Amino acid sequence: MLKHVSFLTADLDAVLAFYVRLGGVTEKNLTTPEGYLRGVVRLGGEEGGRLQFFQIPGESPHPHAHWAEHIALHVTGLRALLPQLRAAGVTVSRDLTPSPGGRDMAFVLDPDGRQVELLEAGPG
């Protein structure tokens, strides 16, 4: 079972707020003994996966903007959510389109430029 995926971030507060807007819950937002800022977002309820982010002073993350390297999230109400994200200044990198399975899908960029696939949640 996956515990978490960890990434560097340039702005911990902005990246946590972004994933909370997509339905996540901030579990941790602290400074480590080394002076690193660390945040953890839980996705998908108590048993959901976690995204962990570190903001390390003096280091700059180098995200990749290619769609093949991305985080994929199930969301509810994608058609209503996408205009809200645009209004909040989120970059839509691939507009609403049917996924190979026929569900609504879009790609947006998180505050560090990471590709995030948003896929309409479905039954099962």
Side-chain angles (χ1 to χ4, degrees), residues 20 47 60 66 84 87 97 99 104 113:
V20 166
E47 297 301 316
S60 175
H66 190 278
Q84 294 171 7
T97 185
S99 72
D104 284 343

Side-chain angles (χ1 to χ4, degrees), residues 20-36:
V20 166
R21 182 179 284 127
L22 296 178
V25 175
T26 301
E27 284 192 339
K28 294 181 184 176
N29 188 354
L30 54 87
T31 303
T32 69
E34 301 86 5
Y36 306 158

Side-chain angles (χ1 to χ4, degrees), residues 53-120:
F53 297 94
F54 286 96
Q55 182 177 337
I56 301 174
E59 290 195 26
S60 175
H62 300 285
H64 301 280
H66 190 278
W67 69 265
E69 185 172 299
H70 65 275
I71 298 166
L73 302 176
H74 281 119
V75 297
T76 302
L78 178 56
R79 286 181 181 264
L81 177 62
L82 205 54
Q84 294 171 7
L85 294 173
R86 277 192 176 107
V90 173
T91 299
V92 176
S93 58
R94 186 171 170 191
D95 214 343
L96 196 64
T97 185
S99 72
R103 295 187 201 165
D104 284 343
M105 173 181 78
F107 280 77
V108 299
L109 300 182
D110 81 1
D112 289 317
R114 267 183 226 79
Q115 294 281 341
V116 180
E117 176 186 350
L118 303 176
L119 180 65
E120 182 66 39

